[in-house]
Amino acid sequence: MATITAAEVFVTSAGRNFVTLRITTSDGVTGLGDATLNGRELSVASYLRDHLVPLLLGRDPARIEDMWHYLYKGAYWRRGPVTMTAIAAVDTALWDIKGKVAGMPVYDLLGGLARDGALVYGHASGQDTAELLDDVARFKDLGFRAIRAQAAVPGSPASYGVRHGDGQGYEPAAASLPDEQLWHTEDYLDFAPRYLTAVRERFGFGFHLLHDVHHRLTPTEAGQLGHRLEDLRMFWMEDPVPAELQDNFRQVRAATRTPIAVGEVFNSIWDCEQLISERLIDYIRASVVHAGGITHLRRIFHLAELHQVRTGSHGATDLSPVSMSAAVHLDVTAANFGIQEYMAHDPLAFEVFTPGYTYRDGALYPSDAPGLGVEFDEKAAERFPYDPRYLPVSRRRDGSVHDW
Ligand code: GCO
Ligand code: MG
């Protein structure tokens, strides 16, 4: 029996911060896992280094299911983004190792291809409607068949999802402390349907149109927005309300036929059990990295499949090429796959990671190399030391804190 002989944690800021776990076995096989929790990176690095690595050494890397329950139930303190991201990193690395040992890509271990590639959506944005329309045209030219559209709301600098400058990043990462930005819900509710309508007027209905509300509305407001968007035949309205209260979605659901997606902040099946089993949503957006790895996300996908809820996993640039690779391997095997979010990483990320996927004609295709097909260059990573960053905070006009 092979055993785990080393488990190392790397924190690198190749374009943005990433935490990576590398597990090595006594047979010399290595596996990679992503452990990045945007803005709280070092807490997961510590959870791994200080608490999980000592538990991994000497154990059988082949027993993935056992390892998952050992780490989940063994902690006693269940769930939570830090714990579940750390477990995800171990789980992903063990699937990578299992694939390499078997000489198979991970998608083959998961049952084999159910489709050739994973349909993706890209992020179009603009400081105003005209700029957004130009950006949608750019994504169409790149072959995207599904496009998310976000524009800056006049008077609300905290508008979510709008790129600044030419870079891919749109989360203004402040150097030392969170950027505090003004947000006004009424202006957004007035403006968003207008720019989304402009997108349909200019480009028609021959592609999927998506929009992210980023958890900023009350159930009443979200129901009204969804209702106003109905004629635009949106692919989805994402994160309409804060999602701690699953029951919130009942009211949104009753108020609109616009499809609903949620789940990027979920870390376990228990966060979405009611949403799925009561069909309060159409798409579940949990990810490999923040929802306990391939083992646990697959469980969520299977529950969703029973209830005709489709998948639409989170794939912003704070998910490293390691978990994006794992996502694509899982996506191409899932019977109820819907779509995969895809934001191309900063080119610096590819000085450290070689991804296990390629983009072509609006879809991502997994590598057919054994395991996840992703590589990590430790020496290159050393050139990009950790760079503390925070997500912004929104405040209303009266100074009170609003959901960012
Ligand atoms: C998305 C998300 C992200 C999050 C980010 C936070 O739909 O892609 O909303 O952009 O804001 O992942 O770290
Ligand atoms: Mg989102």
Side-chain angles (χ1 to χ4, degrees):
M1 172 189 100
T3 55
I4 295 175
T5 51
E8 302 151 280
V9 180
F10 304 92
V11 183
T12 183
S13 185
R16 67 179 307 148
N17 290 313
F18 295 117
V19 180
T20 306
L21 174 71
R22 183 174 66 200
I23 295 181
T24 306
T25 73
S26 50
D27 290 338
V29 181
T30 58
L32 296 171
D34 179 18
T36 309
L37 186 61
N38 196 10
R40 296 293 185 270
E41 294 87 357
L42 298 187
S43 54
V44 188
S46 158
Y47 194 107
L48 284 165
R49 282 187 183 127
D50 299 330
H51 303 290
L52 297 198
V53 169
L55 305 181
L56 302 181
L57 302 177
R59 296 177 65 85
D60 182 355
R63 298 179 62 166
I64 299 179
E65 186 74 19
D66 180 72
M67 181 73 86
W68 197 93
H69 290 277
Y70 178 69
L71 298 181
Y72 181 79
K73 294 175 179 162
Y76 185 64
W77 312 107
R78 297 185 182 197
R79 307 158 60 184
V82 175
T83 299
M84 297 304 279
T85 301
I87 293 176
V90 175
D91 184 80
T92 307
L94 294 185
W95 279 102
D96 192 20
I97 288 171
K98 192 178 278 297
K100 288 180 182 172
V101 170
M104 286 183 192
V106 167
Y107 65 73
D108 264 337
L109 299 178
L110 297 173
L113 293 175
R115 62 187 53 73
D116 298 331
L119 176 75
V120 295
Y121 69 92
H123 288 199
S125 71
Q127 293 299 333
D128 53 31
T129 304
E131 221 180 272
L132 170 64
L133 294 178
D134 288 348
D135 212 30
V136 172
R138 188 172 67 86
F139 275 90
K140 287 181 72 67
D141 289 346
L142 290 168
F144 280 82
R145 290 170 267 155
I147 301 171
R148 186 186 97 158
Q150 313 284 142
V153 181
S156 279
S159 299
Y160 161 80
V162 182
R163 238 186 353 266
H164 299 269
D166 292 337
Q168 287 290 329
Y170 57 81
E171 288 147 12
S176 51
L177 292 171
D179 203 12
E180 301 202 5
Q181 304 169 335
L182 191 65
W183 170 255
H184 193 54
T185 298
E186 286 72 14
D187 289 352
Y188 164 75
L189 285 174
D190 179 54
F191 186 49
R194 290 198 275 135
Y195 69 71
L196 291 169
T197 301
V199 172
R200 280 300 195 211
E201 280 172 359
R202 163 95 170 265
F203 299 100
F205 286 81
F207 68 105
H208 297 307
L209 179 61
L210 297 79
H211 178 68
D212 190 349
V213 182
H214 222 247
H215 306 284
R216 292 182 179 197
L217 301 178
T218 65
T220 302
E221 291 162 348
Q224 287 167 353
L225 176 65
H227 183 66
R228 288 183 63 191
L229 299 181
E230 278 169 16
D231 288 345
L232 304 182
R233 284 183 263 141
M234 305 291 296
F235 187 85
W236 77 35
M237 166 171 79
E238 175 180 334
D239 294 346
V241 290
E244 290 96 329
L245 192 62
Q246 296 185 39
D247 210 46
N248 259 346
F249 285 79
R250 200 183 307 285
Q251 187 185 341
V252 185
R253 191 56 142 184
T256 179
R257 287 181 282 119
T258 293
I260 301 169
V262 71
E264 66 184 41
V265 301
F266 292 172
N267 48 68
S268 86
I269 199 165
W270 306 109
D271 295 327
C272 49
E273 190 276 332
Q274 183 191 0
L275 292 175
I276 291 173
S277 62
E278 298 186 23
R279 273 202 52 77
L280 301 178
I281 58 171
D282 299 277
Y283 294 91
I284 181 68
R285 281 180 42 71
S287 67
V288 167
V289 56
H290 299 136
I294 292 174
T295 297
H296 194 65
L297 188 61
R298 190 158 66 138
R299 198 155 279 138
I300 294 176
F301 281 14
H302 287 165
L303 174 69
E305 186 194 340
L306 284 182
H307 297 279
Q308 290 188 286
V309 170
R310 293 199 285 161
T311 73
S313 289
H314 187 204
T317 46
D318 46 310
L319 283 73
S320 93
V322 176
S323 55
M324 280 303 292
S325 303
V328 176
H329 278 267
L330 186 54
D331 288 340
V332 292
T333 67
N336 56 330
F337 171 75
I339 202 163
Q340 169 67 51
E341 180 179 16
Y342 171 51
M343 266 179 100
H345 284 104
D346 186 301
L348 284 182
F350 300 118
E351 294 190 18
V352 172
F353 299 97
T354 310
Y357 52 83
T358 42
Y359 172 83
R360 198 169 65 246
D361 298 332
L364 288 178
Y365 295 84
S367 149
D368 56 11
L372 294 172
V374 65
E375 281 162 38
F376 174 74
D377 182 338
E378 180 184 347
K379 281 277 157 277
E382 282 170 12
R383 299 205 313 268
F384 307 104
Y386 172 64
D387 180 17
R389 296 282 168 141
Y390 288 92
L391 285 168
V393 170
S394 307
R395 287 190 187 275
R396 304 182 191 93
R397 285 182 184 158
D398 68 359
S400 58
V401 175
H402 189 73
D403 309 75
W404 182 76

